[in-house]
Amino acid sequence: MFDNLKYTSALRTAVILGLVAVLGPAVLPAWGTSAEVQTETDPCVTGKTPASIVVLQVSGYFTEKPGANFLSLSDEPTNNIRHFSETLGRAADDNNIKAVVLNIEQPLLSWAQVDELRRNIKHLRDSGKKTYAYVETLSQRDYLLACACDEIIITPTGTARIVGLAGEAVYFKNLLDKVGVKADLMQMGRFKSAAESLTRTGPSEAELSQINRLFDSLHEHLLDSIAASRKMKPEQVAKIIDEGPFTAEEAKQVGLIDQIMYRPELLQYLEGQTTGEVQLVLNYRKSDRSKINLDNPFAFMTILQEIFSGPKEPTGDVIAVVYVDGPITLGQSSDGWTDGTVGARTVRLALSEAGNDDNVKAIVVRIDSPGGGATASDIIYRSVRKAAKSKPVVVSMGRVAASGGYYIACGGPTILAEASTITGSIGVVGGKLVIGGLFEKLGITTYIFKRGRHADLFNSTR
């Protein structure tokens, strides 16, 4: 989507500038048609032109920011949700592609990311491409993604764990009382319930109200999405869910899936569907530049140089995308081995640079954050408002934009969200754990030295 990139020091961790056709999560831009292909059949050998079917692996963790977690210590593959959506979009407009197979292997996707991919799959189907989902087993979120395809194919020994929504809140007050610890926490805002797990033995009336509302909303979205994809009524889907989980055969009987077969049988099935020889495109839109040649001692350094030098300067008008992805803190943004933080200074400078750049014609603020520091959130909020005075600004909310995340969103004149985006939790909670009673039980004594009446405000013993 953002092939034409601008990358400068202040924008390095927070912003990618791209040339796009349209704004917003509800519309797809125009895509190119070229492909780099790795196949299982060679048309030169057969003398025929086989039907090209793209096989896309859907597994591992999906990030919001491009390039996030590149140097991960985990063996789990990492994908970028925008890049994957772009690949689906390019396949939709590629006249050489007849169908797409999604090989779904327990990906770590949020509900909002599933919504985004479902929209891209619909774009594929609307373009005339047949879409298949192949799965070995199905979780509920996997199924929500898979059922967007024309057909769902499962291995014979697979299961479909389609059973509805459930959650469990854990409360520690009784345990803290037993060990002599008191949660001395202050809550400002009726629905700011983050501290309740330490201060209560069960949910408050406000917490019950908001969690039940959230579950009702997500459950309705689940029923409506499956019903639309499988040509059922929501009440019919609800009845099926109450009968779960299912074996592969049971899932087919109730209409949740279409075919049951092992992976080696899939190619033969696809050939029957396309009435001809099939060529599987296994490496669609991927470049060999990311592969490291271990025989070359300088290969890894070349890749690092490409990463840290950033994308090339754009030659035309661009739209800036500023990512607020992670907990919000003061200072600089940081990228850890797992989750990073969003620094108010980094985002403020990125928004300022984008606002003052004549090549930037609009700004998208992409938020996937549970919140964080109030002061840091306020700084970013005011920076968004300032940018909106000079350029069109659109806020796009991903998986979650809660507390400080929603506070930031309010700085933009237009806010877009997925149907399953979680937002809310406005307020402040803070305080300390008082462990004086625990010290007493353990025979530990303390002596306080202080200068100033409130110097020991955060004393851990009272």
Side-chain angles (χ1 to χ4, degrees):
M1 184 186 296
F2 308 107
D3 289 334
N4 195 9
L5 302 177
K6 180 179 178 112
Y7 205 70
T8 59
S9 58
L11 300 174
R12 191 171 301 273
T13 57
V15 63
I16 289 184
L17 304 176
L19 182 61
V20 295
V22 290
L23 277 176
V27 195
L28 284 170
W31 308 102
T33 58
S34 60
E36 185 171 340
V37 192
Q38 174 183 329
T39 66
E40 284 193 350
T41 60
D42 188 348
C44 296
V45 174
T46 62
K48 301 177 182 179
T49 302
S52 294
I53 298 180
V54 170
V55 179
L56 298 177
Q57 184 74 12
V58 188
S59 60
Y61 180 64
F62 281 74
T63 65
E64 289 286 336
K65 290 189 297 184
N69 294 332
F70 178 83
L71 299 178
S72 174
L73 292 176
S74 171
D75 290 333
E76 193 72 31
T78 300
N79 307 281
N80 175 252
I81 188 68
R82 176 177 63 78
H83 289 167
F84 197 87
S85 295
E86 180 184 77
T87 299
L88 292 174
R90 291 188 185 276
D93 288 346
D94 192 335
N95 295 328
N96 297 320
I97 301 302
K98 303 303 180 185
V100 174
V101 177
L102 298 183
N103 186 34
I104 302 175
E105 293 187 327
Q106 301 178 325
L108 298 174
L109 285 161
S110 70
W111 279 62
Q113 289 173 333
V114 170
D115 285 345
E116 181 174 339
L117 294 183
R118 282 177 56 86
R119 191 166 50 249
N120 282 274
I121 294 170
K122 182 180 184 301
H123 181 60
L124 263 174
R125 297 176 66 175
D126 291 344
S127 71
K129 306 292 193 298
K130 191 73 178 290
T131 57
Y132 304 87
Y134 185 83
V135 296
E136 293 173 342
T137 190
L138 276 169
S139 69
Q140 195 151 261
R141 201 170 306 179
D142 293 345
Y143 182 74
L144 190 58
L145 174 62
C147 71
C149 297
D150 291 293
E151 292 189 29
I152 303 175
I153 305 166
I154 191 171
T155 192
T157 54
T159 58
R161 300 188 299 274
I162 318 299
V163 292
L165 305 180
E168 184 175 18
V170 180
Y171 296 87
F172 298 95
K173 186 179 184 303
N174 287 339
L175 171 63
L176 297 180
D177 289 344
K178 287 181 179 181
V179 299
V181 176
K182 177 179 174 56
D184 187 11
L185 301 171
M186 179 179 291
Q187 171 185 328
M188 301 300 292
R190 181 173 170 231
F191 293 97
K192 192 68 177 181
S193 57
E196 286 191 4
S197 63
L198 300 177
T199 61
R200 299 179 59 91
T201 58
S204 64
E205 182 180 341
E207 175 75 342
L208 276 174
S209 171
Q210 67 177 347
I211 295 301
N212 280 324
R213 183 174 181 177
L214 177 62
F215 266 64
D216 288 342
S217 177
L218 289 176
H219 188 245
E220 181 181 359
H221 176 60
L222 176 69
L223 298 182
D224 289 344
S225 298
I226 295 175
S229 297
R230 302 299 294 179
K231 295 180 174 55
M232 299 179 180
K233 294 182 179 180
E235 53 268 26
Q236 185 180 358
V237 177
K239 184 178 179 181
I240 291 174
I241 287 177
D242 286 343
E243 297 172 357
F246 306 93
T247 64
E249 286 289 349
E250 291 170 340
K252 185 177 181 181
Q253 290 173 8
V254 298
L256 289 177
I257 61 127
D258 301 287
Q259 302 293 334
I260 301 174
M261 66 186 68
Y262 287 106
R263 196 179 299 272
E265 302 167 353
L266 180 60
L267 179 60
Q268 184 178 355
Y269 176 73
L270 294 175
E271 287 178 342
Q273 292 290 297
T274 55
T275 62
E277 188 177 356
V278 168
Q279 173 178 273
L280 296 183
V281 183
L282 302 178
N283 206 21
Y284 187 71
R285 297 298 302 173
K286 291 185 179 180
S287 172
D288 289 335
R289 293 172 60 195
S290 61
K291 298 178 181 179
I292 301 175
N293 180 8
L294 297 179
D295 294 331
N296 182 355
F298 300 103
F300 188 71
M301 295 304 297
T302 301
I303 291 178
L304 288 180
Q305 183 178 4
E306 289 181 4
I307 294 171
F308 293 112
S309 63
K312 297 178 180 179
E313 289 284 329
T315 57
D317 295 341
V318 297
I319 291 175
V321 183
V322 180
Y323 289 91
V324 180
D325 185 12
I328 302 165
T329 63
L330 291 170
Q332 294 285 119
S333 296
S334 66
D335 290 315
W337 292 113
T338 53
D339 295 327
T341 60
V342 178
R345 181 175 185 272
T346 300
V347 179
R348 174 177 60 81
L349 291 176
L351 287 167
S352 177
E353 185 168 346
N356 293 326
D357 192 326
D358 293 335
N359 289 330
V360 175
K361 302 306 177 184
I363 301 171
V364 174
V365 181
R366 175 67 172 182
I367 300 176
D368 189 351
S369 173
T375 301
S377 300
D378 183 60
I379 291 171
I380 299 176
Y381 160 78
R382 293 183 179 278
S383 299
V384 173
R385 290 197 63 182
K386 181 179 179 181
K389 293 179 180 179
S390 59
K391 304 279 174 71
V393 172
V394 173
V395 174
S396 170
M397 300 194 302
R399 174 180 59 93
V400 60
S403 194
Y406 186 71
Y407 184 10
I408 292 171
C410 290
T414 302
I415 302 175
L416 305 177
E418 299 289 353
S420 54
T421 296
I422 297 176
T423 189
S425 188
I426 304 302
V428 179
V429 61
K432 64 183 180 180
L433 291 177
V434 180
I435 58 177
L438 175 61
F439 280 3
E440 184 177 349
K441 291 177 181 291
L442 298 176
I444 299 173
T445 58
T446 63
Y447 186 89
I448 303 299
F449 298 87
K450 71 172 186 176
R451 301 294 185 272
R453 182 180 177 186
H454 299 296
D456 62 341
L457 179 64
F458 290 99
N459 181 347
S460 62
T461 59
R462 67 176 177 84

